[in-house]
C-alpha cells in the first residue's frame, strides 16, 4: 500500500530539482515488534542527515537486492542482529520527499530475529509504545505510528 508523497520540511530547497526530476532511492525499513506490542526506534547516527532524529532502522537497497535481503544486511551491519526470513513481512510503502533525497520506504514488519542489539553506528535505541516518547521523530517514520495506531484501534498518535 502506498499513499501520497509525504513532503518533509517543505520550506527547504530540494537538493537536485523538482520531484519529477529526482531519482528515487529505495530504502528497506524494519518495524521490529515485540510480542507485547513494543516496537524498536533507533536514533540517526551523528554525521548523518537528520542526526538525532528517531526512526525505524534500515537502509538503502543495493543493486540486485530484494527488500528482504537489504533489510537483513542493514540490520546486521547497524544493529548486529540476524533476521529470520520467515519473520519478515512486507507491510507498506511510503514515498518521502526530503530536501536531500526522494525516497521510497519499504516498511516490513519483523517478528523474529537472532542476536542482541548492538548499536554499531553510535546510535541509541528504545523500545516504544504509542504514543511515542522519543522525540523528534523522522518525518518518514510518522506515518508508521499512525498505521500502528489504526491496527490496534488507538487514536492517531500525537507528536
Amino acid at each position: 500500500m502506498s499513499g501520497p508523497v509525504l513532503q518533509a520540511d517543505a520550506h527547504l530547497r530540494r537538493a537536485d530539482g523538482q520531484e519529477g526530476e529526482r531519482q528515487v532511492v529505495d530504502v528497506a525499513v524494519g518495524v521490529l515488534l515485540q510480542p507485547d506490542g513494543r516496537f524498536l526506534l533507533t536514533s540517526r547516527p551523528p554525521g548523518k542527515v537528520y542526526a538525532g532524529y528517531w526512526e525505524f532502522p534500515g537502509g538503502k537497497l543495493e543493486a540486485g537486492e530484494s527488500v528482504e535481503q537489504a533489510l537483513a544486511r542493514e540490520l546486521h551491519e547497524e544493529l548486529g542482529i540476524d533476521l529470520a526470513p520467515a519473520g519478515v513481512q512486507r507491510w507498506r510503502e511510503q514515498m518521502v520527499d526530503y530536501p536531500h533525497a526522494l525516497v521510497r520506504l519499504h516498511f516490513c514488519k519483523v517478528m523474529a530475529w537472532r542476536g542482541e542489539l548492538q548499536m554499531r553506528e553510535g546510535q541509541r535505541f528504545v523500545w516504544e509504545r504509542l504514543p511515542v516518547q522519543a522525540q523528534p521523530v523522522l518525518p518518514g517514520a510518522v506515518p508508521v505510528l499512525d498505521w500502528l495506531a489504526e491496527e490496534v484501534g488507538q487514536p492517531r498518535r500525537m507528536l
Side-chain angles (χ1 to χ4, degrees):
M1 180 186 296
S2 184
V5 175
L6 172 64
Q7 191 168 41
D9 295 318
H11 64 287
L12 296 177
R13 185 173 175 276
R14 294 327 194 215
D16 55 359
Q18 300 301 314
E19 178 186 325
E21 303 166 11
R22 301 170 82 195
Q23 184 172 348
V24 174
V25 177
D26 284 290
V27 175
V29 183
V31 180
L32 278 69
L33 297 164
Q34 295 276 14
D36 65 3
R38 292 179 301 148
F39 50 87
L40 181 71
L41 291 178
T42 58
S43 63
R44 302 252 325 143
K48 287 199 175 180
V49 178
Y50 288 95
Y53 278 69
W54 292 90
E55 66 178 352
F56 294 91
K60 297 176 192 167
L61 275 68
E62 292 181 355
E65 277 186 321
S66 69
V67 168
E68 294 83 356
Q69 289 168 331
L71 186 59
R73 178 184 50 75
E74 287 284 346
L75 294 187
H76 182 75
E77 290 173 1
E78 294 178 9
L79 307 179
I81 60 174
D82 295 312
L83 298 187
V88 177
Q89 172 192 341
R90 283 200 197 198
W91 186 32
R92 300 198 186 196
E93 290 182 8
Q94 176 69 56
M95 290 286 288
V96 183
D97 180 5
Y98 285 106
H100 68 285
L102 180 62
V103 298
R104 180 184 301 118
L105 301 171
H106 301 268
F107 291 102
C108 299
K109 287 184 177 180
V110 180
M111 274 63 114
W113 59 89
R114 292 178 300 280
E116 296 296 319
L117 293 174
Q118 305 166 33
M119 300 295 109
R120 294 179 167 178
E121 295 185 345
Q123 70 275 49
R124 296 175 292 148
F125 77 94
V126 63
W127 289 101
E128 280 278 8
R129 295 183 189 279
L130 295 172
V132 298
Q133 302 302 308
Q135 298 293 327
V137 175
L138 191 68
V142 171
V144 178
L145 303 177
D146 289 335
W147 301 334
L148 290 169
E150 287 171 12
E151 286 191 355
V152 296
Q154 288 188 354
R156 273 188 85 172
R157 52 86 192 133
M158 297 298 291
L159 291 180

